[in-house]
Amino acid sequence: MTRRSTAAGALATGAAGLLLALGAATPAHAAGYRYWSFWEADAGKWTYATQGPATARPADGDAIGFRFALSEDSADATKPTAAPDFAAICADVEKTAGTKRIAVVVDFGTRKDAPAGETPPKAAPTTGCARVAENGTGADALAAVATPLRYDSSAMLCGIAGYPKQGCGEAVADGPDFAASAAPKAAEEDGGGPSLGLLVGGGAVLALGAAAVWKSRRRA
């Protein structure tokens, strides 16, 4: 077995274990999850992040994106519809000593993505140029341009700019347009940034990314 296949197997095993844990609390025949996915720019295009925003540390001149949507896994995740154009988004923001600039794109998704009784607050994505400390994370950049943010008790990102008002990464059952959804998590908090628990709560999204890496390597 090669080192590459060993690494891929480790990613797949970790992802499978975490998704099985999530599945124990989800309805049968779940078609996907409704959540905020996290993206990074690569050669002018969006790529699904392989780590959560609390641990990702974009460099000055980078762009990150967040998209709210229904997705089966990261291979099925919908990308932000606005381009990761740092030059345009941060055109009027100068770099200062001890800081870095990060372009942030927030895409609230479509009506089809929205939970029952809610509507995306904006039809078009919003953008902002975050100026954060040189060691700042993607979560710091998001908090600098989009508030309020909402996290659950394990500090998983649940809402951006107040959307959605409730629910957090819940499984959605089979049905037309993913209409029937599971009950949202009970413990949720408002706040400007994540606690250390985001390293745990963000594992669900990271598991989806790991599964995609494994799939892509199998096809290679």
Side-chain angles (χ1 to χ4, degrees):
M1 182 177 290
T2 66
R3 182 177 301 175
R4 179 177 179 182
S5 61
T6 300
L11 283 173
T13 300
L18 201 49
L19 289 175
L20 283 174
L22 287 173
T26 62
H29 308 298
Y33 296 87
R34 178 184 285 118
Y35 69 102
W36 280 101
S37 57
F38 176 46
W39 301 81
E40 296 172 321
D42 182 14
K45 297 181 180 179
W46 290 119
T47 182
Y48 198 94
T50 56
Q51 58 183 314
T55 56
R57 296 185 185 279
D60 180 71
D62 284 348
I64 61 175
F66 298 83
R67 170 67 189 256
F68 188 77
L70 292 172
S71 304
E72 180 180 353
D73 57 28
S74 63
D76 176 58
T78 306
K79 300 177 182 180
T81 54
D85 191 344
F86 173 84
I89 296 172
C90 291
D92 299 325
V93 180
E94 296 183 0
K95 187 179 185 302
T96 59
T99 68
K100 60 183 176 183
R101 300 156 301 163
I102 302 169
V104 181
V105 174
V106 177
D107 191 328
F108 296 95
T110 66
R111 286 180 177 271
K112 179 180 177 180
D113 298 316
E118 296 200 49
T119 302
K122 295 185 179 181
T126 61
T127 62
C129 186
R131 182 156 49 194
V132 299
E134 288 184 335
N135 66 342
T137 65
D140 294 329
L142 176 63
V145 302
T147 56
L149 304 179
R150 180 169 59 85
Y151 295 86
D152 71 0
S153 57
S154 65
M156 181 174 178
L157 180 62
C158 303
I160 299 177
Y163 180 78
K165 295 179 181 179
Q166 59 182 354
C168 192
E170 67 269 19
V172 180
D174 283 325
D177 295 333
F178 299 91
S181 63
K185 296 182 180 180
E188 295 165 0
E189 303 171 354
D190 289 323
S195 69
L196 292 178
L198 184 57
L199 299 178
V200 176
V205 176
L206 179 56
L208 297 178
V213 172
W214 177 67
K215 289 178 182 178
S216 65
R217 288 182 174 177
R218 284 192 64 190
R219 291 194 296 265

